[in-house]
Amino acid sequence: ELEQRIAAIWAEVLKVERVGLTDNFFELGGDSIVSIQVVSRARQAGIAFTPKELFQHQTVQGLTTVAQRTGGLCIDQGAVTGTMPLTSIQRMFFEEEIPERHHWNQSVLLEPNERLVVEPLEAALQRVVEHHDALRLRFIQQEGRWSAGFRDREEAELLWQSQVSDIGELEAVCNEAQASLDLEHGPLLRAVLASLPDGRQRLLLVIHHLVVDGISWRVLLEDLQTAYRQAVQSQPLHLPAKSSSFKAWSERLEQYAAEATLAEELGYWQRQLQEATDELPCDHPQGGHQRKQAAFATTHLDRDWTRRLLQEAPAAYRTQVNDLLLAALARVICRWSGQASTLVRLEGHGREDLFDDLDITRTVGWFTSLFPVKLTPRSEIADSIKTVKEQLRAVPNKGIGYGLLRYLGSETARQTLQRLPRGEIVFNYLGQFDQSFEAEAALFAPAGESSGQGRSEAAPLDALLSLDGQVYGGELRLTWTFSRERFAEATIQRLADAYARELEALVGHCADENNRGMTPSDVPLAGLSQEQLDALPVPAGEIEDIYPLSPMQQG
């Protein structure tokens, strides 16, 4: 029964018809973000395991050996108050030169699948803000230093109502809402319910990035829908139990940043970055680099190619989707730049299993980790996949230590990392976003109109090139953001198109059953090099694991 319940959760989240006992989670299209969703769904069903355990036991059969029926952590469900230390990503935000800091948001524009009623919607929004403590944070600057504290309750008006005459007026209302947040006095969340002339509605949700990230949005949309349904039916507004608070996480990170084990990571980052370069072939190196100069290009895979990327390709070399996306990107960028390696700043979810006594699977906040990784592709596709996969596996704790050392570490660590390149290509794969909208009872669907300017026009761009990708409607889309004053738009669109072709070539290669392989991180106990693994007389597809001999066998 436990195996069946876990398999059903996998099938629901991964959008596959069936899951077998020995099917591999990552070969079915799972990734680190999806793993957090699986853990969260399982805990709501009374089944406890951690994301780390899911990475260690990648089949239903294996996971069942460590999953617990009940129990779990005892987490205080009361409102969080007082102050909290800034996380490393929040410190990075305040150290950057960013004009109009209040206008640096994430947002979604939604099309309701039924007509929304104002009073229940206001009640649902208030309940969500009350439940997710980070949404009640305030940020204050005193003598050049920023600090964060919680309000007991949100007193500001959260919901605006607007009657708009056309799409242009809708965008103007969205832009007004985007610029309306206040770091010191609040709110950090603004909702707009707009009515169009034909009777349709749009719901805009704007949240300052300091208190939200991609995984948080999945939680918030689910909880807003739950609370609204309850309010419409005049039921008590009851949301799933809180996981550990954002405050508890930030306090533990501050302690962890001072530990000697983290300081030992500094050598790894120095070795990776000392010979790396941030240089890219800009068309106009002295051009402006602000949001007002932003231009966009798109890489797109249709449903069939996306399905094959998510559900077929990972099995060939025991990869995760991110490995394949980055292997293709490294090949395209290195051909363009003429360099043997490319430095990519990876944006990760940051919710790593560092502390056994914290559960942050349903916690709202800005957990993101940003860290540079040097990728060195090879001339052959197979060798590129293996090499990039191993380079990613070598990153300690999925990169969370880089930000801790650079923004919370010792003075030596901070100065050392500030002098080294950090990557002028930012890559962020948000995973599969379909789950938030595809259920039959879904209250919302993404709207096609613009949600307005999420950041001030004067704000700097994140990097020379920023790639943001996700799967929605079964299709992969990656948006390239760049300055039109630094790059000709045709230059970046050619790169985006080349990336699509490279991904298709890579997926086609992996779909060929003759192309199978493993890498040293797949069989860590064996201690074999890539060359030794490639020379094994047994086909890689037939090998489950490799162990060293026991002392008696060796004798």
Side-chain angles (χ1 to χ4, degrees):
E1 182 194 356
L2 183 59
E3 291 170 341
Q4 290 174 352
R5 294 176 70 189
I6 291 175
I9 292 169
W10 283 24
E12 179 187 6
V13 174
L14 292 170
K15 300 296 178 187
V16 295
E17 287 189 16
R18 63 176 298 277
V19 173
L21 270 181
T22 58
D23 288 346
N24 185 286
F25 176 76
F26 296 100
E27 292 175 7
L28 291 173
D31 54 44
S32 59
I33 291 178
V34 174
S35 72
I36 292 175
Q37 294 175 270
V38 166
V39 170
S40 176
R41 297 277 179 94
R43 286 178 178 168
Q44 291 178 57
I47 304 170
F49 53 86
T50 67
K52 184 183 293 184
E53 288 170 334
L54 179 51
F55 272 77
Q56 293 169 339
H57 306 275
Q58 298 179 7
T59 65
V60 170
Q61 195 171 49
L63 190 58
T64 306
T65 64
V66 297
Q68 300 176 10
R69 285 278 188 167
T70 56
L73 303 173
C74 182
I75 296 170
D76 184 358
Q77 297 296 300
V80 175
T81 58
T83 61
M84 65 163 257
L86 298 177
T87 63
S88 55
I89 194 76
Q90 290 173 329
R91 287 179 185 267
M92 181 203 76
F93 173 79
F94 286 118
E95 286 187 16
E96 299 280 342
E97 292 294 331
I98 299 176
E100 301 179 17
R101 292 188 187 275
H102 68 282
H103 189 179
W104 212 78
N105 314 322
Q106 289 193 327
S107 61
V108 293
L109 185 65
L110 304 169
E111 181 176 358
N113 292 323
E114 62 186 62
R115 186 158 189 82
L116 297 179
V117 183
V118 172
E119 290 76 13
L121 181 58
E122 287 180 324
L125 286 165
Q126 287 288 352
R127 181 69 185 99
V128 166
V129 172
E130 175 187 309
H131 189 73
H132 294 291
D133 304 285
L135 300 178
R136 293 184 285 101
L137 273 169
R138 298 292 182 265
F139 297 89
I140 300 172
Q141 185 181 28
Q142 294 177 319
E143 298 179 358
R145 295 177 61 87
W146 287 88
S147 61
F150 296 87
R151 284 216 169 179
D152 293 338
R153 62 187 305 275
E154 181 57 74
E155 298 174 353
E157 178 188 17
L158 298 179
L159 180 64
W160 290 355
Q161 299 178 62
S162 180
Q163 182 75 45
V164 298
S165 58
D166 53 34
I167 298 303
E169 190 175 341
L170 173 64
E171 185 169 3
V173 170
C174 291
N175 281 330
E176 184 182 357
Q178 292 274 13
S180 71
L181 304 183
D182 189 320
L183 291 181
E184 183 173 351
H185 302 104
L188 297 187
L189 177 151
R190 173 78 66 207
V192 178
L193 182 60
S195 298
L196 298 168
D198 58 7
R200 292 178 300 155
Q201 294 175 312
R202 293 292 183 267
L203 178 64
L204 173 71
L205 297 175
V206 176
I207 306 177
H208 199 282
H209 202 347
L210 279 167
V211 297
V212 75
D213 58 17
I215 291 179
S216 299
W217 276 107
R218 291 166 165 84
V219 176
L220 290 170
L221 290 171
E222 180 181 320
D223 285 358
L224 180 61
Q225 173 172 301
T226 299
Y228 178 80
R229 295 280 194 215
Q230 293 168 345
V232 165
Q233 298 171 15
S234 300
Q235 297 175 352
L237 305 191
H238 178 73
L239 297 178
K242 291 183 181 183
S243 50
S244 301
S245 71
F246 191 41
K247 176 181 179 179
W249 173 254
S250 68
E251 289 172 343
R252 292 297 294 278
L253 278 187
E254 190 173 53
Q255 297 170 12
Y256 181 68
E259 294 179 6
T261 52
L262 181 62
E264 294 171 2
E265 274 190 27
L266 183 59
Y268 166 83
W269 297 108
Q270 286 180 287
R271 291 190 299 273
Q272 285 291 301
L273 303 176
Q274 277 172 343
E275 304 301 323
T277 177
D278 273 339
E279 292 182 6
L280 291 174
C282 290
D283 296 318
H284 309 287
Q286 305 306 317
H289 194 62
Q290 296 171 298
R291 293 292 302 180
K292 62 186 176 184
Q293 288 120 10
F296 307 94
T298 302
T299 296
H300 169 243
L301 292 187
D302 65 24
R303 292 180 70 94
D304 184 57
W305 280 112
T306 300
R307 179 190 57 78
R308 295 171 68 188
L309 170 67
L310 296 178
Q311 298 178 9
E312 294 180 11
Y317 297 96
R318 308 187 188 195
T319 56
Q320 298 172 27
V321 175
N322 231 30
D323 303 328
L324 302 176
L325 293 174
L326 287 165
L329 179 66
R331 287 169 62 83
V332 169
I333 296 297
C334 285
R335 282 201 294 266
W336 174 52
S337 69
Q339 298 166 355
S341 300
T342 186
L343 194 61
V344 178
R345 202 183 333 158
L346 293 186
E347 189 166 332
H349 59 67
R351 299 172 188 241
E352 311 305 341
D353 279 335
L354 297 178
F355 316 113
D356 292 336
D357 57 343
L358 291 185
D359 167 18
I360 51 174
T361 54
R362 295 198 91 255
T363 306
V364 168
W366 193 14
F367 289 84
T368 304
S369 58
L370 270 172
F371 58 96
V373 59
K374 185 170 69 172
L375 303 176
T376 309
R378 304 292 188 231
S379 58
E380 300 296 327
I381 287 180
D383 295 334
S384 291
I385 294 172
K386 293 174 185 177
T387 300
V388 169
K389 172 187 167 184
E390 287 302 288
Q391 289 169 337
L392 294 171
R393 296 295 184 279
V395 176
N397 281 323
K398 300 180 184 175
I400 194 171
Y402 175 84
L404 295 177
L405 287 167
R406 178 161 179 163
Y407 298 103
L408 297 175
S410 67
E411 186 66 25
T412 299
R414 294 200 302 269
Q415 290 186 3
T416 298
L417 293 179
Q418 285 169 6
R419 288 193 295 265
L420 294 170
R422 62 174 185 167
E424 280 297 338
I425 300 174
V426 172
F427 184 87
N428 181 23
Y429 173 62
L430 289 167
Q432 302 176 57
F433 228 72
D434 292 348
Q435 298 92 337
S436 300
F437 304 108
E438 282 200 343
E440 290 183 9
L443 183 60
F444 307 111
E449 300 85 12
S450 169
S451 62
Q453 292 287 347
R455 299 184 188 180
S456 164
E457 291 279 81
L461 294 171
D462 293 333
L464 289 177
L465 293 175
S466 296
L467 281 79
D468 296 280
Q470 66 182 40
V471 174
Y472 180 68
E475 298 185 342
L476 172 70
R477 279 185 171 81
L478 295 109
T479 300
W480 301 58
T481 304
F482 59 97
S483 167
R484 62 170 60 90
E485 291 193 5
R486 294 272 179 106
F487 296 101
E489 295 186 41
T491 298
I492 306 304
Q493 189 59 59
R494 280 195 299 271
L495 273 181
D497 293 341
Y499 186 34
R501 292 192 298 271
E502 190 69 39
L503 279 172
E504 291 173 358
L506 186 147
V507 171
H509 170 90
C510 291
D512 186 338
E513 293 186 359
N514 295 315
N515 297 323
R516 293 291 181 268
M518 61 175 59
T519 61
S521 64
D522 297 323
V523 287
L525 295 178
L528 298 178
S529 67
Q530 187 65 63
E531 291 73 19
Q532 290 170 316
L533 289 174
D534 291 341
L536 289 175
V538 181
E542 298 179 13
I543 297 174
E544 182 172 327
D545 207 337
I546 303 176
Y547 304 109
L549 296 176
S550 69
M552 182 62 75
Q553 290 171 328
Q554 184 71 46

